[in-house]
Amino acid sequence: MNRAPAVRIASENPVPDYITSRGSKTWGLAFAFWTLLALSYALSSGLSALSEGHDPSWLRGLTWNAADFYLWMVLAPAIGWLGRRSAGRSWPRFLLLHAPASLGMALAQTVLQLLIFWTVSGPGKMPVTSFGGFVHMEFAYKFQQALVIYWVILAVLRGMESRRHLRDERLRRTQLETQLAQSQLQALRMQLQPHFLFNTLNAISALALADPLQARLMIARLSDFLRLTLEERHAPQVPLSRELEFLTCYLDIQQVRFQDRLSTRLDVADDTLDAAVPNLILQPLVENALRHGLQDKPGAGILRVSIRRDGDQLQLRVDDDGLGLPPAGTLEGIGLGNTRSRLRMLFGDAAGLELSAIPGGGTRAEVRLPYTEHAA
């Protein structure tokens, strides 16, 4: 007969988490767990008897351990419920609840186990012939063991419950951080769009008297751009093909403004058209090239936009042959500053924006970000 279940339970990974779920799958796992414990203890008891030269009494050993562990399987949900009721209480109130509960459950489990074993297996070779004598022989040891098992189960269940609460809290924190990042991205976009709008309206105002026809054409192009922007107003990322539609509308507006002083060239690899990119990522790069590189350049200028896939990264380049970077370096405005912030929020250190001088004159703005295909 096995005499050490309490030690084994403390050293195993005892109770599956079936306190918060009453589904058949959870109960099935619980039943399998307790059955495995009963079988392992019955086997250990039988092998111990064989090693000592005694009859292993496999059926009696299995009956004893099955009655023991299945009763704890039934009582464990009640222990878990009491544990949740006492969560957050002071130690005196905690002990006031669990001290009588442990005594009551240990007493009930002990008496029921002894009764089940006596009913199924009888006295066998024990030196007693009545149930009262059997209880007198086994009660002290079994009751003390049951008390230990109650507190072991309580400690394990409270630990698992605390771990679950910690996991849920981390999940809620992650969701809040995601919501905050999305709100910040939306705020940056809302800041970026008026910035572009004001610049465009200033250009229209300058053309209104000098060239009314071109001003009306520019207003029409602006209307198309705003329509596309509003259609994707909630999307943090869009397919590159969609982003190129934005860019085309924007360049149409600037072409009206610059006339023959601006030539644009788009060089986009076909295998990048489905890539996911931040919404309006190219427009501030192009605007920066026009405003700081080509606007004050004497004569015509060329703006090149090239997009390539480089391994697991997407490479976006905007080159101009304008005035180049000033000796003191470029002071970033709203457009480039917001672009850096959006890249940092979306991709962390996996993405970046660099400005560099092009040999022979001009400036290159290059964005690198992880290549992923946009989910339809």
Side-chain angles (χ1 to χ4, degrees):
M1 187 180 300
N2 179 48
R3 294 278 187 171
V7 176
R8 288 289 187 88
I9 287 182
S11 63
E12 296 284 340
N13 182 21
V15 184
D17 186 14
Y18 59 88
I19 300 304
T20 58
S21 174
R22 302 293 181 176
S24 58
K25 181 179 178 180
T26 306
W27 275 105
L29 291 173
F31 180 79
F33 172 81
W34 290 105
T35 299
L36 181 62
L37 281 182
L39 291 174
S40 64
Y41 277 104
L43 178 62
S44 176
S45 177
L47 293 176
S48 178
L50 283 175
S51 67
E52 296 173 2
H54 303 303
D55 179 11
S57 300
W58 296 107
L59 183 59
R60 292 175 66 83
L62 180 60
T63 302
W64 176 268
N65 287 288
D68 189 13
F69 288 112
Y70 286 152
L71 284 172
W72 284 119
M73 180 182 70
V74 173
L75 291 173
I79 298 175
W81 180 79
L82 290 172
R84 291 192 297 274
R85 289 289 301 272
S86 61
R89 294 188 179 186
S90 62
W91 278 107
R93 297 182 66 184
F94 178 86
L95 294 175
L96 187 63
L97 175 63
H98 286 284
S102 62
L103 292 173
M105 285 196 187
L107 177 61
Q109 198 275 346
T110 298
V111 173
L112 285 174
Q113 181 189 355
L114 296 178
L115 178 61
I116 292 171
F117 179 78
W118 182 265
T119 302
V120 175
S121 300
K125 297 180 180 180
M126 291 187 295
V128 293
T129 57
S130 65
F131 178 66
F134 177 59
V135 172
H136 184 268
M137 181 179 69
E138 294 288 342
F139 181 81
Y141 164 74
K142 221 21 222 91
F143 180 71
Q144 179 271 339
Q145 183 187 81
L147 276 176
V148 172
I149 294 175
Y150 174 95
W151 289 99
V152 169
I153 292 177
L154 176 64
V156 170
L157 291 180
R158 291 313 305 152
M160 295 175 70
E161 187 79 6
S162 298
R163 182 179 179 182
R164 185 180 66 83
H165 283 312
L166 179 61
R167 184 178 67 246
D168 293 344
E169 182 63 30
R170 287 176 177 172
L171 178 60
R172 283 193 293 270
R173 187 180 306 167
T174 301
Q175 291 173 340
L176 288 174
E177 289 174 353
T178 301
Q179 293 174 358
L180 176 60
Q182 290 175 345
S183 298
Q184 290 174 331
L185 284 171
Q186 187 67 15
L188 289 173
R189 285 193 59 213
M190 293 302 293
Q191 186 180 16
L192 183 63
Q193 290 169 1
H195 170 71
F196 155 72
L197 183 60
F198 294 151
N199 288 344
T200 305
L201 290 176
N202 285 334
I204 293 173
S205 176
L207 287 173
L209 295 178
D211 194 340
L213 181 60
Q214 294 298 325
R216 288 196 296 270
L217 182 59
M218 202 170 184
I219 292 173
R221 296 290 185 269
L222 177 61
S223 175
D224 293 337
F225 183 86
L226 293 178
R227 176 182 54 80
L228 290 172
T229 302
L230 291 174
E231 288 177 358
E232 302 290 347
R233 63 187 182 278
H234 296 305
Q237 296 191 68
V238 296
L240 179 61
S241 57
R242 187 66 164 172
E243 179 68 12
L244 291 175
E245 291 184 48
F246 297 149
L247 182 62
T248 301
C249 282
Y250 177 76
L251 288 175
D252 286 344
I253 294 172
Q254 300 304 325
Q255 194 66 61
V256 174
R257 175 186 173 192
F258 281 84
Q259 298 294 316
D260 295 336
R261 295 178 53 236
L262 175 64
S263 297
T264 59
R265 299 176 185 176
L266 297 182
D267 182 13
V268 181
D270 292 338
D271 62 349
T272 65
L273 293 176
D274 293 328
V277 297
N279 197 356
L280 293 180
I281 190 68
L282 290 171
Q283 182 268 326
L285 305 182
V286 171
E287 181 180 13
N288 185 75
L290 294 176
R291 184 174 182 182
H292 298 287
L294 299 177
Q295 178 174 280
D296 297 328
K297 177 187 176 181
I302 300 175
L303 178 76
R304 300 181 182 88
V305 178
S306 62
I307 301 175
R308 293 286 184 272
R309 182 175 178 179
D310 184 11
D312 59 352
Q313 285 193 318
L314 185 68
Q315 179 189 75
L316 312 174
R317 283 182 177 174
V318 176
D319 296 348
D320 68 76
D321 62 350
L323 301 179
L325 295 174
T330 301
L331 295 177
E332 293 186 359
I334 293 176
L336 292 184
N338 282 1
T339 300
R340 288 190 188 277
S341 298
R342 294 172 67 202
L343 289 172
R344 184 168 56 252
M345 289 182 187
L346 286 170
F347 307 106
D349 295 334
L353 165 63
E354 292 186 2
L355 291 180
S356 59
I358 298 177
T363 305
R364 168 173 294 168
E366 180 175 319
V367 170
R368 285 182 172 267
L369 51 89
Y371 178 88
T372 56
E373 291 193 357
H374 187 270

